[in-house]
């Protein structure tokens, strides 16, 4: 029973893109590891950019600087 947790920043992934991620990961596990689709769980967590840090800095600040 595979469980995959995908964490992305909450800044615009569409429902369609999330559906593609879920289908793609499920298919990958089925094709590579012969896992059963019916018992494969894929969870997508969206994290606010204030709560995601890279190199000691909030993603919000990094992205604001690039604008």
């Amino acid at each position: 029973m595979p469980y995959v947790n995908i964490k992305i920043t909450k800044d615009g992934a569409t429902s369609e893109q999330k559906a593609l991620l879920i289908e793609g990961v499920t298919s990958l596990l089925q094709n590579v590891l012969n896992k059963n689709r019916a018992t494969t769980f894929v969870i997508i967590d969206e994290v606010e950019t204030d709560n995601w840090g890279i190199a000691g800095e909030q993603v919000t600040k990094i992205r604001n600087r690039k604008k």
Side-chain angles (χ1 to χ4, degrees), residues 8-65:
I8 59 175
T9 56
K10 189 175 186 175
D11 58 356
T14 66
S15 179
E16 292 80 14
Q17 289 170 322
K18 293 174 198 176
L20 287 170
L21 283 173
I22 291 167
E23 171 56 32
V25 169
T26 301
S27 292
L28 183 65
L29 286 165
Q30 180 182 27
N31 295 335
V32 174
L33 298 178
N34 199 33
K35 296 300 181 178
N36 183 347
R37 296 178 69 83
T39 58
T40 298
F41 297 86
V42 179
I43 311 300
I44 298 174
D45 289 328
E46 292 183 288
V47 180
E48 295 289 344
T49 56
D50 279 353
N51 298 330
W52 194 299
I54 301 172
E57 192 171 10
Q58 290 173 310
V59 169
T60 304
K61 290 180 181 180
I62 294 168
R63 289 187 179 165
N64 285 339
R65 202 169 44 245

